[in-house]
Amino acid sequence: MDVDLRKVRYFAVVAEELHFGRAAERLHITQPVLSRQIRALEKELRAQLFTRNRQTTELTAAGRQLLEDARPLLAGAQALCRRVQQAAKGSTAFTVGFMPGITVTGAVRAFSARHPELSVQVVRTSWSDQVQGVHEGLLDVSYVRLPVDHRGLELRPLFREPRVAVVPAGHRLAGKESIVIADLAPERLLQDPDAVPEWRDLPERTGDEEAGPRPLFATVEEKLEHVATSGGVLVLPLSTATYYTHTDVAHVPIGDIGPNEVCLAWSAGRRSPLLPEFADIAAAQH
């Protein structure tokens, strides 16, 4: 069965909006045209993707599965187009993504020395988009902090580092040589609990019981400001915590949780020998 990527893209927008009118506006097509395209996709897949009434549009189980699979599929198609266009232009760039706190200078210099014909560029990423650039073809390789979704990626382990609790400078835990994760049970965690499963799985987390919805932050800088001004805690890799200078917060080692693992990631579908070569160089630096 051949799947029409245009219809899949239309479906993904409707699934994000859960409203055919708003989705049609985003796609710059009329709502009747969009509805016909979705019906055609459902016919091709032999599955109902949405349930609709006058008030709501919801994904079916088949729709949820398609949305999960559609995102990497669409990103891969976008990456394919971008790489083909770069090849047509004779592009000789090699782009490396890196997370704050991770130093890539040694690996980039060594790789550049081996390949003077390449323009090796570095791009800073964040927790929310550290693999997105790989999937979309914007990055050839990216230094990532686990956990990440492994689908569609090759991962080469590079190194591990301890994790620390970031607390207000005047906090009861500030200045301690080490703490255990249970010491944070009364505190409010200012990040996705799935990123700190040791805290998430504590039997009692009194700090979150009456705090209301967790604030949404786009950057580590915003989270640190919130720690300093409004309280709450973060659990970060040591290099990330020390990367940001902030006199109103302190970091304390956590003695009973595992380290954060840093890997190099690249698209599993690519066969360029440059990718494992850079990975070998990066691994040799640590």
Side-chain angles (χ1 to χ4, degrees), residues 10-229:
Y10 288 175
F11 158 80
V13 175
V14 177
E16 291 170 359
E17 295 288 347
L18 290 179
H19 191 283
F20 275 72
R22 290 194 298 268
E25 289 179 5
R26 276 181 57 182
L27 292 165
H28 305 292
I29 60 176
T30 65
Q31 186 171 335
V33 168
L34 178 58
S35 295
R36 285 198 299 272
Q37 293 295 316
I38 296 300
R39 286 196 298 271
L41 180 61
E42 290 177 324
K43 184 176 180 179
E44 291 172 9
L45 296 176
R46 299 178 183 177
Q48 183 178 354
L49 303 174
F50 297 99
T51 57
R52 301 172 64 184
N53 58 40
R54 291 184 178 181
Q55 286 76 37
T56 63
T57 298
E58 296 181 354
L59 285 165
T60 63
R64 289 192 294 272
Q65 183 62 58
L66 178 58
L67 181 60
E68 180 180 343
D69 292 333
R71 285 168 172 156
L73 178 67
L74 294 171
Q78 185 178 7
L80 180 150
C81 293
R82 183 173 286 114
R83 285 195 290 267
V84 169
Q85 291 165 0
Q86 289 174 344
K89 296 176 182 177
S91 173
T92 56
F94 188 91
T95 306
V96 179
F98 69 97
M99 292 281 286
I102 298 176
T103 302
V104 301
T105 307
V108 169
R109 284 178 175 172
F111 185 73
S112 297
R114 287 193 190 182
H115 296 280
E117 77 283 2
L118 292 177
S119 172
V120 183
Q121 303 167 358
V122 294
V123 175
R124 175 178 162 176
T125 63
S126 67
W127 289 95
S128 61
D129 66 0
Q130 56 177 332
V131 299
Q132 180 179 340
V134 174
H135 288 309
E136 294 180 354
L138 298 171
L139 304 173
D140 291 287
V141 297
S142 184
Y143 288 74
V144 301
R145 295 188 184 277
L146 299 188
V148 298
D149 187 340
H150 291 208
R151 289 177 299 177
L153 297 175
E154 291 283 349
L155 294 175
R156 175 76 64 86
L158 297 179
F159 63 92
R160 297 181 174 188
E161 60 175 316
R163 288 183 287 168
V164 300
V166 181
V167 299
H171 193 273
R172 61 185 175 84
L173 300 176
K176 288 185 174 292
E177 290 187 7
S178 181
I179 63 171
V180 295
I181 192 66
D183 290 329
L184 299 180
E187 308 298 332
R188 189 178 198 195
L189 191 73
L190 300 179
Q191 62 202 110
D192 184 349
D194 288 341
V196 192
E198 300 88 349
W199 181 89
R200 179 199 61 202
D201 297 336
L202 288 172
E204 295 184 3
R205 300 194 308 274
T206 56
D208 257 18
E209 287 180 355
E210 301 178 358
R214 182 173 283 101
L216 298 177
F217 303 102
T219 66
V220 175
E221 291 94 336
E222 290 176 350
K223 294 176 184 178
L224 291 174
E225 286 298 327
H226 199 282
V227 170
T229 60

Side-chain angles (χ1 to χ4, degrees), residues 254-271:
I254 307 173
D256 64 341
I257 67 174
N260 175 247
E261 185 168 2
V262 176
C263 296
L264 193 76
W266 64 93
S267 175
R270 296 187 62 190
R271 294 293 177 262

Side-chain angles (χ1 to χ4, degrees), residues 226-239:
H226 199 282
V227 170
T229 60
S230 305
V233 300
L234 299 169
V235 175
L236 298 176
L238 177 60
S239 66

